[in-house]
Amino acid sequence: SSELTQDPAVSVALGQTVRITCQGDSLRSYYASWYQQKPGQAPVLVIYGKNNRPSGIPDRFSGSSSGNTASLTITGAQAEDEADYYCNSRDSSGNHLGVFGGGTKLTVL
Amino acid sequence: QVQLQQWGAGLLKPSETLSLTCAVYGGSFSGYYWSWIRQPPGKGLEWIGEINHSGSTNYNPSLKSRVTISVDTSKNQFSLKLSSVTAADTAVYYCARGHNYGISPYYYYMDVWGKGTTVTVSS
């Protein structure tokens, strides 16, 4: 079982806003990072830190956090945003281990 | 621009040792956590472990007894060995560059990934 909990699936209408959440105790001490993965491809970092986007990531992607919950928001979802999304952090043991959420399958309708 | 190129055997028999290497091109080797992640078919991402440039390692407790991650700074490469593999180790294996810094809340993320190596364990 993962120490980071994500909803397995979320859907959004084209052009609308969707929020994907990630819960875990370690998120009180670590910012979550978020990865987009399309079939047959390696994951791509889309959000890290408080709300930072790597170069090339559209500004419709944003991140936020409160307490033990981190959120990835896509404002104006596009068809190409349909993918699996994973959150990532250190675990809550204090042993400096990495952990991923179970992933959220985003469907753009 | 930093790139990671990974390679290794793609087909193993049960009880053999998985061996993968990841080379870092176009960037510094110091100051990062060089990581391995895997993804079984149809499943999510699993963090395997990491090493920094000085050789300090952290491993997933569920794999710790079988995993060794090493680094060759002279070649800007790091490697993964997983012993006594079974069918459950069949997965795509990725290498990645990790960052961990700041003051609580800390920053931790992996910004550069290799393309992945498919490893199949079958008799």
Side-chain angles (χ1 to χ4, degrees):
Chain A
S1 64
S2 174
E3 290 193 26
L4 297 178
T5 301
Q6 299 182 239
D7 291 328
V10 171
S11 61
V12 61
L14 185 66
Q16 296 303 300
T17 297
V18 63
R19 176 174 293 181
I20 299 170
T21 60
C22 174
Q23 287 189 304
D25 286 343
S26 64
L27 299 182
R28 298 184 188 277
S29 302
Y30 282 90
Y31 289 113
S33 52
W34 291 94
Y35 305 83
Q36 177 192 70
Q37 187 181 36
K38 297 181 180 180
Q41 297 182 19
V44 173
L45 177 69
V46 293
I47 290 290
Y48 68 97
K50 191 172 184 179
N51 182 19
N52 301 98
R53 284 177 288 106
S55 174
I57 302 301
D59 61 5
R60 63 178 179 272
F61 290 88
S62 63
S64 62
S65 65
S66 178
N68 72 337
T69 301
S71 300
L72 172 70
T73 300
I74 307 174
T75 304
Q78 302 299 302
E80 61 263 32
D81 300 333
E82 185 163 293
D84 294 324
Y85 290 86
Y86 294 91
C87 61
N88 167 241
S89 175
R90 293 294 192 188
D91 79 334
S92 56
S93 71
N95 292 327
H96 218 63
L97 307 178
V99 63
F100 286 93
T104 298
K105 169 65 178 175
L106 175 66
T107 300
V108 179
L109 304 172
Chain B
Q1 180 163 340
V2 177
Q3 293 186 356
L4 303 183
Q5 182 175 348
Q6 58 182 105
W7 65 88
L11 180 60
L12 296 172
K13 290 181 166 47
S15 80
E16 292 184 335
T17 296
L18 178 157
S19 183
L20 299 175
T21 298
C22 185
V24 180
Y25 297 104
S28 170
F29 204 69
S30 299
Y32 302 102
Y33 290 86
W34 301 100
S35 308
W36 289 97
I37 302 96
R38 71 179 183 178
Q39 185 171 38
K43 296 187 177 181
L45 301 171
E46 180 181 28
W47 184 85
I48 298 172
E50 65 187 12
I51 190 167
N52 65 12
H53 70 280
S54 63
S56 177
T57 56
N58 294 301
Y59 297 135
N60 186 322
S62 69
L63 299 170
K64 188 173 185 176
S65 64
R66 298 192 292 129
V67 171
T68 301
I69 297 176
S70 58
V71 65
D72 185 340
T73 54
S74 67
K75 296 181 179 179
N76 276 16
Q77 295 177 0
F78 61 107
S79 298
L80 169 70
K81 291 190 185 299
L82 180 66
S83 64
S84 304
V85 298
T86 69
D89 296 310
T90 293
V92 177
Y93 287 75
Y94 296 100
C95 58
R97 183 178 76 171
H99 300 249
N100 194 163
Y101 59 85
I103 299 172
S104 184
Y106 298 97
Y107 286 70
Y108 172 65
Y109 58 95
M110 288 170 272
D111 64 336
V112 183
W113 292 64
K115 294 185 184 299
T117 300
T118 298
V119 176
T120 303
V121 181
S122 174
S123 56

